[in-house]
Each structure stands twice: as C-alpha cells, then as structure tokens.
Amino acid sequence: MQASATGGAGAISPKVEISDVSLRYFGREGEIEALRGVSLTIAPGEFVAIIGQSGCGKSTLLSLISGILKPTSGTILLDGRPVTGPNRKVGYMLQQDYLFEWRTILENAVLGAEIQGANMTKARERARMLLTRYGLGQFLHYLPRQLSGGMRQRVALARTLCTDPDIVLLDEPFAALDSQTRIALADEVAEILRREGKTAILVTHDIGEAISMAERIIVLSRRPGQVKSNHPIRFATPDSRRPTPFTARNAPEFNKYFNTLWQELEVHVEG
Ligand code: ADP
Ligand code: MG
C-alpha cells in the first residue's frame, strides 16, 4: 500500500493535485496542526472517498480544495492551475443542508447561482429540472420545513449542482439522516454524480458509505492528518459495471474492504 495517493489514470492530467499540503490553525488556544504533508491526485471523473477519525482534518482538506482556506505550505492545483480562492468549478455539499427557511425550495436551489451572479432565468430553469429529476417537482414552492431530511438534502444537492461544477465536494452529506434514508440517498447521489461525469470527493467517517460509493478510498491518520493509505475499491460484476452502493453492500468484496479499513482507522471507543 503506497502512501502517495495517486489515481490509476496514468497519462490523463489530474483534476485535483495536492502536493505536500500542511495546514496549521492559529487560535486562542494556540496552534493546531490539522494537516501535515498531504499529497494526492484525483483524476477527472473519479469518485474518491477520504476517511479518517473525527478531528483528523477531513473538512479542513475540503476547505483547502474549495479555496476557502489557504494552505500553510504546499500547493493545490485544479486542472493544473493553483487555487487562489473560491472557484466556480467547485461545488460544496455539507452535512447540514443550510437551507434558508424563508425561501422556497426553488429559491434555495438557485442560491449558489445567485451568489455567482449567474443568469437567473437559466439558473431557475436548471434548478427546476434538477429538482424534478430528484423527485421534488411537486415541492418547488414549498418551504424547507415542510420537507423531510432526505428531501432537504436533495435540495442541497440540486443547489450544489445548479451551478454545474466539475468537482463536487461532499462533507459527510448524509450524517444527519437516519440509516435507511442515508443508504437510499447515497445511491441516488452516487448515480447522479457518475451520470453527470463529476469528479467527486466524499469525506466521511462511515467506512461502509465510503466503500459503497467510491472507486478509491484515502485514509487519513489521526491529527495531524497525513495520508496513511490509498485503496482502490473494485467489485467483480458480470458486466464489469460498478454496482450501486446498495448492491455493493451485499457484495463479497464489501466485508473484505470493511475489515481492512476498520483496522487502518484504529477505531476504538474512547474511554
Ligand atoms: P474533521 O473534519 O476530520 O473532523 P476538521 O478538519 O474539522 O476535522 O478539524 C481538524 C482539526 O482542526 C480539529 O482538531 C479541529 O478542532 C481543528 N480546527 C478545525 N477548524 C478550526 C479553526 N477554525 N480554528 C482552530 N482549529 C480548528
Ligand atoms: Mg468534518
């Protein structure tokens, strides 16, 4: 298992290239080293999961890729260009849906486009199309509080994809949902992102979610987060197509990967 996390796509130039990135937070309690010497590359259209224990720097890594944070040292390239700040190519979906309760579903879905100063007629059209595709066509003029948790996360997904980003960052997007909804929505989201050819980076502490959704899993060590290992996830299917996340959970490979990753994460109950 190599520690430099490089995608399988040899000659193709990477979508995301993170080189020797470190990040220190300077706060009231002093200095916190969140990430140390992280290097990884992600190919266009790849679906990668980053797993690691709570506090190991997963969200920090996504904030760096999105340009919200700047690395203390090291570089991040998107399509070969350095990240200098927030970028239209990048969409961000969070654990909390952060829907505005006073805005309708449709108006929530166009929020990102509005912030980017995009053409709002087009944005509304696209949001309506996405929401309809995600089964929310009947609810365009509802308020968020009238929707279930799973539906709200679909609105958040529509908002993320409304600006048509190439790279989608998902920060524990299902963590607040009950387990059935979580698995069903993971299936939908994985399928949508694959169909649209997005490059996706899913951060989670849920090993099963990572195995069932991603083509490759990168394990971060405890803080300061460093790349500990890099696991391509493959399933033997008759037609060599990737199983849906739900089907993947029942595949024989699933338990094998689960056991390996469980050991790597050094999961134990804090006393
Ligand atoms: P994860 O998402 O893996 O749980 P984070 O990236 O949120 O981890 O945080 C990594 C470490 O950095 C944690 O110890 C956290 O407490 C610390 N941290 C995160 N954000 C800040 C901040 N703004 N200021 C100071 N420390 C922070
Ligand atoms: Mg986090």
Side-chain angles (χ1 to χ4, degrees), residues 58-59 171-172 203:
K58 301 182 297 298
S59 296
D171 195 351
E172 314 226 16
V203 150

Side-chain angles (χ1 to χ4, degrees), residues 181-259:
T181 308
R182 184 157 65 199
I183 291 174
L185 197 56
D187 257 31
E188 289 173 22
V189 169
E191 205 229 297
I192 289 161
L193 295 175
R194 289 215 158 85
R195 193 176 52 208
E196 303 210 353
K198 305 293 185 196
T199 304
I201 308 173
L202 168 75
V203 150
T204 180
H205 61 261
D206 184 324
I207 300 173
E209 193 167 280
I211 301 167
S212 67
M213 291 181 78
E215 284 144 48
R216 188 153 64 94
I217 298 180
I218 292 159
V219 182
L220 292 186
S221 68
R222 284 164 175 272
R223 204 182 76 206
Q226 294 176 275
V227 174
K228 194 169 172 182
S229 60
N230 178 39
H231 301 260
I233 304 295
R234 297 198 212 296
F235 294 95
T237 51
D239 54 3
S240 77
R241 283 176 54 184
R242 209 197 134 79
T244 67
F246 180 78
T247 317
R249 284 177 187 266
N250 296 310
E253 293 93 340
F254 185 87
N255 285 331
K256 185 191 74 175
Y257 288 127
F258 196 99
N259 290 333

Side-chain angles (χ1 to χ4, degrees), residues 1-228:
M1 213 58 60
Q2 66 189 55
S4 81
T6 304
I12 304 169
S13 53
K15 193 81 196 167
V16 181
E17 193 166 9
I18 299 173
S19 310
D20 204 16
V21 160
S22 298
L23 187 110
R24 286 163 193 274
Y25 288 108
F26 300 93
R28 231 175 290 151
E29 277 108 67
E31 197 178 310
I32 291 174
E33 188 181 16
L35 293 171
R36 182 189 290 176
V38 171
S39 295
L40 56 97
T41 63
I42 298 170
E46 209 184 357
F47 196 130
V48 171
I50 297 173
I51 64 173
Q53 302 216 356
S54 179
C56 76
K58 301 182 297 298
S59 296
T60 300
L61 187 56
L62 291 192
S63 297
L64 288 164
I65 296 169
S66 77
I68 296 170
L69 276 178
K70 286 194 170 58
T72 310
S73 62
T75 55
I76 301 180
L77 307 179
L78 302 184
D79 288 321
R81 275 182 230 109
V83 174
T84 53
N87 186 318
R88 279 169 197 226
K89 279 185 202 161
V90 180
Y92 212 151
M93 186 170 162
L94 301 163
Q95 175 178 342
Q96 268 160 344
D97 53 50
Y98 294 109
L99 300 180
F100 289 137
E101 295 298 337
W102 62 90
R103 282 186 158 220
T104 65
I105 297 316
L106 182 63
E107 291 304 311
N108 267 288
V110 295
L111 192 69
E114 197 175 307
I115 291 167
Q116 291 186 359
N119 176 328
M120 291 310 290
T121 310
K122 278 203 183 132
R124 277 201 194 87
E125 211 169 282
R126 186 167 158 79
R128 195 173 277 129
M129 184 268 290
L130 291 171
L131 289 166
T132 305
R133 208 188 276 167
Y134 306 163
L136 296 168
Q138 315 283 311
F139 304 96
L140 299 180
H141 305 294
Y142 279 52
L143 291 171
R145 80 172 95 89
Q146 298 173 285
L147 269 56
S148 69
M151 290 160 92
R152 292 175 63 114
Q153 273 305 57
R154 277 190 230 140
V155 178
L157 180 68
R159 182 177 57 197
T160 303
L161 296 184
C162 188
T163 55
D164 200 19
D166 296 352
I167 303 166
V168 178
L169 309 178
L170 304 135
D171 195 351
E172 314 226 16
F174 316 116
L177 304 172
D178 64 77
S179 61
Q180 276 99 324
T181 308
R182 184 157 65 199
I183 291 174
L185 197 56
D187 257 31
E188 289 173 22
V189 169
E191 205 229 297
I192 289 161
L193 295 175
R194 289 215 158 85
R195 193 176 52 208
E196 303 210 353
K198 305 293 185 196
T199 304
I201 308 173
L202 168 75
V203 150
T204 180
H205 61 261
D206 184 324
I207 300 173
E209 193 167 280
I211 301 167
S212 67
M213 291 181 78
E215 284 144 48
R216 188 153 64 94
I217 298 180
I218 292 159
V219 182
L220 292 186
S221 68
R222 284 164 175 272
R223 204 182 76 206
Q226 294 176 275
V227 174
K228 194 169 172 182

